[in-house]
């Protein structure tokens, strides 16, 4: 569920206090989206999220519009760097070329290590046979849930889920489409492909 | 011209004779309290403060007013009454001014004072070994921010208003008797912003945050994020210049909090620090030694 606050035209402390109150009433893992019209307000909202130990992302929509998303994560972590605009792309259910079993074990190890990083990626996108990793029989579900709770967006390609007949078996994160994947990848500062 | 554009002082100082220099300063702003009379007092105390921070005395003042025609003129009368009382308390003469019809209320003063040309206190000029005294508690901006959101109790609000309308005159008169090397007043740039104006190359000012006075309740309000945009601007401006040795978010916010008509920051030689402090603490608003000037340790300011 997405909770929205439109704080365009409001000066601090109003956006910050409204966000604080909204977060109080929200369930764990819900996202609060706050629209503000100045950069300083995004910085104050970032301080709020940082102090509460929640993950946050800041997007500049245009000169007078910024979107801050705060995820009420269940695991408190201070000063994580999820807002750095880096994306991890998992395009296969194995890591590297060669033995398939080794490739699966490597990918599981990679996602485990990712969850332990101090500087988390902002988004992980799964497509093609990568779609297996976010669904029922995956061995990485616990690590992915941890990443999600730490505020990392987990997105799986809908067409791919459909192709492998996994549509109703998705466990972590949300379904996305190629338009959104293309847009996110083109905006990313860094794309990591294991 | 002794002090003008090139320094970060808020007033200009012009030498007339060997004994007299004139200090010119002006300041005006929008109402920060609802009561017109109190707003007048606060705006005037704030404008007069720059003369005191220079080590000068107030001589004359002129009103600067913007006021909507459609509002009750009684409001303006009350604002001017508050301002006039403060000018009188400062020992100055209020001699008219200028008002314009505008959409919003703004009020302040243009102030003229005098100072001996050899006794001007610039805001930079403190020496290694100096102690820095703060003459009013901080947290005014945070309390007013909490007031906007209706979570402030009357006692805190009254304290903030009392501090804002109090003249820096009495603290300034006392400081002139001692070996003071620099002085500034704390206003929009906050405690750390104005402290930064005082520090010279090859110096670091070390702040003992445990000794920094603040309005009771402002710490709790900062913790609850009743913070301002200006405070964040101050934080951004001082990025890389201030090092916090320990993490205390609410205290940081207090140190960055913009003040209206804040107290004086006085750099005084170590040997005079305690006696000046004692002398200042005869006043009803209590002062504290909050920092000391040492040889540079890389940062302009270190907060312990």
């Amino acid at each position: 569920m997405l909770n929205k606050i439109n704080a365009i035209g409001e000066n601090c402390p109003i956006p910050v206090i409204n966000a604080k109150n909204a977060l109080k009433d929200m369930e764990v893992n819900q996202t609060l989206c706050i629209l503000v019209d100045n950069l300083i307000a995004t910085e104050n909202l970032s301080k709020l999220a940082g102090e509460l130990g929640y993950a946050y992302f800041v997007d500049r929509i245009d000169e007078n519009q910024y979107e801050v998303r705060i995820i009420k994560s269940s695991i408190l972590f201070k000063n994580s760097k999820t807002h750095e605009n880096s994306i991890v792309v998992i395009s296969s259910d194995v890591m590297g070329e060669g033995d398939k079993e080794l490739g699966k074990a490597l990918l599981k190890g990679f996602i485990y290590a990712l969850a332990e990083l101090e500087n988390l990626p902002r988004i992980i996108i799964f497509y093609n046979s990568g779609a297996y990793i976010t669904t029922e029989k995956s061995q990485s579900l616990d690590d992915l849930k941890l990443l999600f709770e730490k505020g990392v967006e987990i997105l799986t390609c809908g067409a791919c889920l459909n192709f492998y007949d996994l549509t109703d078996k998705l466990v972590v994160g949300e379904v996305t489409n190629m338009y959104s994947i293309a847009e996110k990848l083109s905006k990313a500062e860094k794309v990591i492909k294991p | 011209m002794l002090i003008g554009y090139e320094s970060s002082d808020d007033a200009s100082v012009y030498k007339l004779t060997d004994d007299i220099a004139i200090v010119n300063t002006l300041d005006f702003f929008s109402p920060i309290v609802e009561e017109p009379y109190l707003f007048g007092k606060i705006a005037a105390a704030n404008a007069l403060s720059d003369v005191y921070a220079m080590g000068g005395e107030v001589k004359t003042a002129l009103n600067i007013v913007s006021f909507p025609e459609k509002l009750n003129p009684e409001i303006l009368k009350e604002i001017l009454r508050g301002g006039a009382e403060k000018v009188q308390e400062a020992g100055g003469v209020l001699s008219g001014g200028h008002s314009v019809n505008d959409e919003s209320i703004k009020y302040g003063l243009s102030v003229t004072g005098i100072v001996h040309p050899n006794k001007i206190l610039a805001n930079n000029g403190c020496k290694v070994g100096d102690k820095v005294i703060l003459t009013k508690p901080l947290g005014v901006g945070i309390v007013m921010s909490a007031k906007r959101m209706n979570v402030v109790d009357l006692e805190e609000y009254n304290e903030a208003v009392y501090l804002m309308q109090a003249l820096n005159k009495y603290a300034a008169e006392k400081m002139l008797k001692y070996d003071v090397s620099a002085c500034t007043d704390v206003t929009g740039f906050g405690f750390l912003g104005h402290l930064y104006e005082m520090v010279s190359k090859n110096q670091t000012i070390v702040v003992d945050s445990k000794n920094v006075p603040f309005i009771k309740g402002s710490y709790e309000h900062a913790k609850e994020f009743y913070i301002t945009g200006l405070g964040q601007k101050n934080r951004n401006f001082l990025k890389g210049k201030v090092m916090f040795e320990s993490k205390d978010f609410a205290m940081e916010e207090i140190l960055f909090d913009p003040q209206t008509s804040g107290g004086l920051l006085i750099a005084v030689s170590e040997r005079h620090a305690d006696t000046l402090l004692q002398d200042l603490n005869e006043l009803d608003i209590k002062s504290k030694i909050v920092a000391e000037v040492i040889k540079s340790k890389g940062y302009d300011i270190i907060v312990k």
Side-chain angles (χ1 to χ4, degrees), chain B residues 238-300:
Chain B
L238 293 172
K239 218 169 249 174
K241 296 170 179 129
V242 181
M243 207 267 286
F244 291 94
E245 283 197 343
S246 59
K247 181 105 182 85
D248 181 346
F249 173 74
M251 193 64 213
E252 285 180 21
E253 287 299 318
I254 287 173
L255 296 175
F256 285 119
D257 185 39
Q259 305 295 289
T260 301
S261 185
L264 298 175
L265 277 170
I266 304 168
V268 58
S269 68
E270 193 181 2
R271 67 193 175 93
H272 276 180
D274 287 332
T275 38
L276 171 56
L277 184 70
Q278 264 178 21
D279 202 350
L280 284 168
N281 280 338
E282 285 170 11
L283 302 172
D284 62 345
I285 298 173
K286 300 303 172 203
S287 301
K288 283 271 180 113
I289 294 177
V290 293
E292 68 173 318
V293 185
I294 62 168
K295 275 193 198 143
S296 176
K297 278 195 169 179
Y299 289 90
D300 295 290

Side-chain angles (χ1 to χ4, degrees), chain B residues 127-129 201-206 292-299 302:
Chain B
K127 301 185 184 83
V128 169
K201 265 185 192 160
N202 312 320
Q203 293 177 346
T204 292
I205 298 185
V206 182
E292 68 173 318
V293 185
I294 62 168
K295 275 193 198 143
S296 176
K297 278 195 169 179
Y299 289 90
I302 293 175

Side-chain angles (χ1 to χ4, degrees), chain A residues 12-13 20 43-44 47-48, chain B residues 145 148 224 228 232 236 253:
Chain A
C12 287
K20 185 188 77 171
E43 292 167 353
N44 274 337
K47 282 194 290 193
L48 170 78
Chain B
S145 174
R148 264 179 78 195
E224 290 300 317
T228 57
Q232 178 59 27
N236 288 344
E253 287 299 318

Side-chain angles (χ1 to χ4, degrees), chain B:
Chain B
M1 186 61 81
L2 299 175
I3 292 180
Y5 266 126
E6 63 285 355
S7 84
S8 54
D9 283 278
D10 295 326
S12 76
V13 182
Y14 184 82
K15 185 173 164 182
L16 288 180
T17 69
D18 286 345
D19 301 323
I20 299 175
I22 51 170
V23 184
N24 280 310
T25 179
L26 76 86
D27 207 342
F28 63 107
F29 49 70
S30 306
I32 52 163
V33 293
E34 279 164 28
E35 305 88 335
Y37 170 66
L38 291 178
F39 168 55
K41 282 177 133 183
I42 292 167
N46 184 68
L48 292 160
S49 179
D50 286 328
V51 175
Y52 296 125
M54 287 279 170
E57 55 180 293
V58 171
K59 285 296 171 193
T60 62
L62 298 165
N63 287 321
I64 305 164
V65 178
S66 99
F67 194 79
E69 255 175 359
K70 56 180 188 288
L71 285 185
N72 184 349
E74 280 302 311
I75 297 171
L76 179 56
K77 240 173 146 178
E78 282 295 285
I79 294 172
L80 295 179
R81 181 168 74 92
E85 275 183 24
K86 280 290 149 186
V87 175
Q88 191 181 20
E89 184 187 337
V93 179
L94 189 65
S95 43
H98 185 68
S99 61
V100 291
N101 173 25
D102 195 35
E103 281 166 25
S104 65
I105 300 177
K106 289 186 185 68
Y107 173 67
L109 295 173
S110 160
V111 185
T112 302
I114 58 165
V115 63
H116 192 287
N118 300 334
K119 290 176 183 163
I120 301 164
L121 286 172
N123 51 15
N124 58 347
C126 54
K127 301 185 184 83
V128 169
D130 280 356
K131 303 281 183 187
V132 183
I133 295 176
L134 174 67
T135 68
K136 279 183 191 176
L138 305 173
V140 161
I142 291 165
V143 170
M144 297 317 286
S145 174
K147 161 83 174 155
R148 264 179 78 195
M149 306 301 282
N150 293 318
V151 293
V152 111
D153 70 41
L154 193 64
E155 198 186 326
E156 288 160 23
Y157 175 70
N158 286 343
E159 187 181 351
V161 169
Y162 180 72
L163 289 170
M164 287 189 284
Q165 63 79 46
L167 289 183
N168 282 329
K169 175 186 181 183
Y170 308 102
E173 283 170 357
K174 288 184 181 290
M175 99 180 149
L176 295 178
K177 295 183 280 177
Y178 298 87
D179 181 16
V180 169
S181 51
C183 178
T184 189
D185 56 347
V186 183
T187 53
F189 297 135
F191 172 80
L192 290 175
H194 291 285
L195 201 60
Y196 175 69
E197 291 173 352
M198 299 182 94
V199 72
S200 305
K201 265 185 192 160
N202 312 320
Q203 293 177 346
T204 292
I205 298 185
V206 182
V207 177
D208 184 0
S209 63
K210 279 182 220 68
N211 266 338
V212 176
F214 51 83
I215 300 171
K216 196 176 143 276
S218 60
Y219 187 88
E220 277 64 37
H221 291 312
K223 235 178 168 169
E224 290 300 317
F225 304 98
Y226 291 95
I227 52 183
T228 57
L230 268 182
Q232 178 59 27
K233 282 184 188 161
N234 291 340
R235 189 185 276 269
N236 288 344
F237 176 72
L238 293 172
K239 218 169 249 174
K241 296 170 179 129
V242 181
M243 207 267 286
F244 291 94
E245 283 197 343
S246 59
K247 181 105 182 85
D248 181 346
F249 173 74
M251 193 64 213
E252 285 180 21
E253 287 299 318
I254 287 173
L255 296 175
F256 285 119
D257 185 39
Q259 305 295 289
T260 301
S261 185
L264 298 175
L265 277 170
I266 304 168
V268 58
S269 68
E270 193 181 2
R271 67 193 175 93
H272 276 180
D274 287 332
T275 38
L276 171 56
L277 184 70
Q278 264 178 21
D279 202 350
L280 284 168
N281 280 338
E282 285 170 11
L283 302 172
D284 62 345
I285 298 173
K286 300 303 172 203
S287 301
K288 283 271 180 113
I289 294 177
V290 293
E292 68 173 318
V293 185
I294 62 168
K295 275 193 198 143
S296 176
K297 278 195 169 179
Y299 289 90
D300 295 290
I301 297 171
I302 293 175
V303 179
K304 279 192 194 285

